[in-house]
Amino acid sequence: QVQLVESGGGSVESGGSLKLTCAASGGRVIGMAWFRQAPGKEREGVACIYLSDRETFYAESVKGRFTITTDNAPNTVHLQMDNLKDDDTAVYYCATDPGPFPCQIALNSPRSLDLWGQGTQVTVSS
């Protein structure tokens, strides 16, 4: 069973940057995605990447500010968040699925993914 562990959350002032990391263990994954959930709001897709060809997808709200990448560490993705805004405050979750999944659909349908990390808090204050 694949397990996901997020790290890198914290508090930052508006306009600042944070970098989140998600490491998957226990199996091979095809793609990995980031979601976030603010208090009182539904979980929303943020970014997604296919690990083989590194194709990326982003929510409109974070395009140009967030960057999802993968590096040589197997089954590891990062979410570089720049120019953070108060509205970015949320618990950020990493997610994947045991098999292949379409990133564009997953970002709009969080429930389509079966494997989730525990989440990491990101707080942006002005």
Side-chain angles (χ1 to χ4, degrees):
Q1 178 77 352
V2 172
Q3 293 187 325
L4 303 175
V5 177
E6 303 103 332
S7 60
S11 298
V12 66
E13 291 186 352
S14 180
S17 298
L18 281 174
K19 185 175 183 179
L20 307 182
T21 296
C22 177
S25 61
R28 180 174 173 264
V29 298
I30 305 299
M32 296 174 76
W34 286 98
F35 294 80
R36 65 186 182 186
Q37 188 165 18
K41 294 187 177 180
E42 293 187 356
R43 192 166 297 188
E44 63 172 347
V46 174
C48 187
I49 187 168
Y50 295 131
L51 300 189
S52 58
D53 62 7
R54 306 189 178 192
E55 185 178 9
T56 59
F57 303 83
Y58 295 95
E60 285 296 325
S61 59
V62 305
K63 277 184 180 178
R65 300 189 299 121
F66 290 12
T67 305
I68 187 171
T69 59
T70 183
D71 56 28
N72 291 330
N75 293 344
T76 300
V77 297
H78 308 284
L79 184 68
Q80 177 67 41
M81 305 184 294
D82 297 318
N83 191 20
L84 282 161
K85 305 175 181 179
D86 292 2
D87 288 347
D88 295 318
T89 295
V91 178
Y92 284 70
Y93 298 90
C94 178
T96 188
D97 213 62
F101 64 90
C103 271
Q104 290 132 313
I105 293 177
L107 288 179
N108 288 304
S109 302
R111 294 184 180 181
S112 66
L113 299 181
D114 287 338
L115 302 173
W116 291 81
Q118 80 286 355
T120 185
Q121 177 71 44
V122 171
T123 302
V124 184
S125 58
S126 52

